[in-house]
Amino acid sequence: MRVEKMVQPSARASHILVKSKGEAVSLSSNISKLKEFQKYARKKSECPSSQKGGDLGWFRKGQMVPEFDEAVWTLPLNSVSNPVKTQFGYHLIWVHEREE
């Protein structure tokens, strides 16, 4: 557990990165639980985080590309996002925790 307080708001999230919106949409329809999200992240994600089930760990607000960042701060916790397009492709995002 973290004791030190972060100055900027921070969040812990996982993601699945794929090339097409179609693939992202079809994956998201199969995900309702974190376990399923992690399984698809390991199988399908093109990000190196796929080895950790898509886990990006903790990061501060503003550290990610704008579209991704905005999604992380507006999504309900513990559910899969709609596809989020960035310059890297399409992301499905799962937000575990946020410290505002």
Side-chain angles (χ1 to χ4, degrees), residues 9-16 37 54 56-86 91-100:
S10 58
R12 183 174 156 241
S14 296
H15 78 139
I16 298 171
F37 188 95
L56 296 168
W58 284 92
F59 50 89
R60 288 188 171 89
K61 192 169 192 167
Q63 267 189 306
M64 301 296 183
V65 293
E67 305 88 341
F68 191 96
D69 203 53
E70 187 182 327
V72 165
W73 295 98
T74 54
L75 283 169
L77 294 176
N78 299 309
S79 62
V80 67
S81 72
N82 289 321
V84 175
K85 187 182 191 319
T86 71
H91 305 260
L92 295 175
I93 305 169
W94 185 285
V95 182
H96 303 276
E97 295 177 72
R98 273 192 296 258
E99 288 179 2
E100 306 289 338

